[in-house]
Amino acid sequence: QDAGATIVHEAPVELTTPLAELLAVMALYDGEDWLESNCWYMEQPLPTGPPEGPYAGAKWKRALCFRGESRTPHAIVVDVSSARVSLWRDKYAIRSKLSQLSGNPGNSCMHLTDDQSGGVLAAFRGGAGAGRRGGGGGMACDDSYAYACARALLHPKSVAWLNSTRLGEIELGGTKFKRAWARYTSWLHEAPVSPLRRDSGNDDAGKWPAAPDWDALLDTEE
């Protein structure tokens, strides 16, 4: 309210396994180097020490965010068109408030308030962002975008994929996993087939790219 932004949608996201929680972190922050490098670990070390790879940074973030009895995250969609201040600038204040409410300090809150400008998104889809996705060596924190995160958390086929028991049957970070995960995250970043309008009701459902057959991807031979 202080920022002048409006919450337009809020919903719980049922993640049924620790692996689903980890994959949700990876999906929300897809393309950010720290998921592998764990370069922000010393901001909030874990009592058990730093996780081992693959995806050590994602495991660190998952350990911070998903703990205690109440583990179900809530997806909050905010309309910032009338905001009086930048939510990106205020993200630490937002994080602090959410930390107080959840009882999880610091990096235990997931936030996606990065630059959403058309130029940045166009550069990402054109390959500027993709060129360093999965590099794992830097401290980049600017490759996650709200529309892809909304699809990750709110599209039923995405949530089903994150909760799939079959993902637990293959090697995390192995060839088969990376191939299927790359296809999933590419789908997350695909633009709508046609512009979406808030007042168009259920007609928008067919305007998003169809989700791939995830099981078929896992069944593909090496």
Side-chain angles (χ1 to χ4, degrees):
Q1 292 180 346
D2 292 341
T6 303
I7 295 177
V8 296
H9 182 77
E10 180 179 1
V13 181
E14 295 295 337
L15 301 175
T16 57
T17 66
L19 177 61
E21 296 168 353
L22 174 66
L23 297 178
V25 171
M26 292 170 58
L28 291 175
Y29 293 97
D30 176 52
E32 300 194 5
D33 292 337
W34 62 268
L35 290 173
E36 295 188 31
S37 70
N38 204 15
C39 54
W40 297 108
Y41 173 78
M42 293 310 297
E43 280 195 350
Q44 196 172 346
L46 300 174
T48 54
E52 296 182 357
Y55 314 115
K59 291 176 180 177
W60 165 70
K61 185 72 171 178
R62 180 252 162 192
L64 293 175
C65 294
F66 296 92
R67 57 185 179 183
E69 295 182 3
S70 179
R71 304 169 69 93
T72 301
H74 279 68
I76 302 173
V77 182
V78 180
D79 181 355
V80 298
S81 59
S82 300
R84 295 184 294 272
V85 297
S86 168
L87 293 188
W88 188 88
R89 289 199 306 267
D90 286 355
K91 72 178 183 180
Y92 292 103
I94 296 171
R95 175 191 284 176
S96 176
K97 183 63 175 180
L98 290 174
S99 296
Q100 294 173 22
L101 294 173
S102 68
N104 293 344
N107 284 308
S108 301
C109 294
M110 289 184 278
H111 61 88
L112 286 306
T113 53
D114 297 318
D115 189 348
Q116 304 289 304
S117 69
V120 171
L121 296 177
F124 185 91
R125 289 197 292 267
R132 57 182 185 78
R133 291 172 69 184
M139 303 176 75
C141 291
D142 58 358
D143 264 348
S144 55
Y145 299 109
Y147 77 100
C149 297
R151 188 177 291 174
L153 295 178
L154 301 177
H155 196 295
K157 289 192 176 181
S158 172
V159 177
W161 165 252
L162 297 176
N163 286 321
S164 172
T165 57
R166 295 201 60 195
L167 283 172
E169 299 171 357
I170 61 177
E171 180 186 0
L172 182 68
T175 301
K176 180 175 285 191
F177 174 87
K178 287 183 175 180
R179 182 176 59 243
W181 188 254
R183 183 64 191 92
Y184 166 71
T185 54
S186 294
W187 170 72
L188 289 182
H189 289 282
E190 288 178 10
V193 175
S194 58
L196 304 180
R197 300 197 337 264
R198 186 182 299 177
D199 60 353
S200 58
N202 294 328
D203 292 340
D204 285 343
K207 298 179 181 179
W208 293 95
D213 183 339
W214 306 125
D215 284 344
L217 288 177
L218 294 176
D219 289 336
T220 302
E221 293 296 329
E222 299 287 349

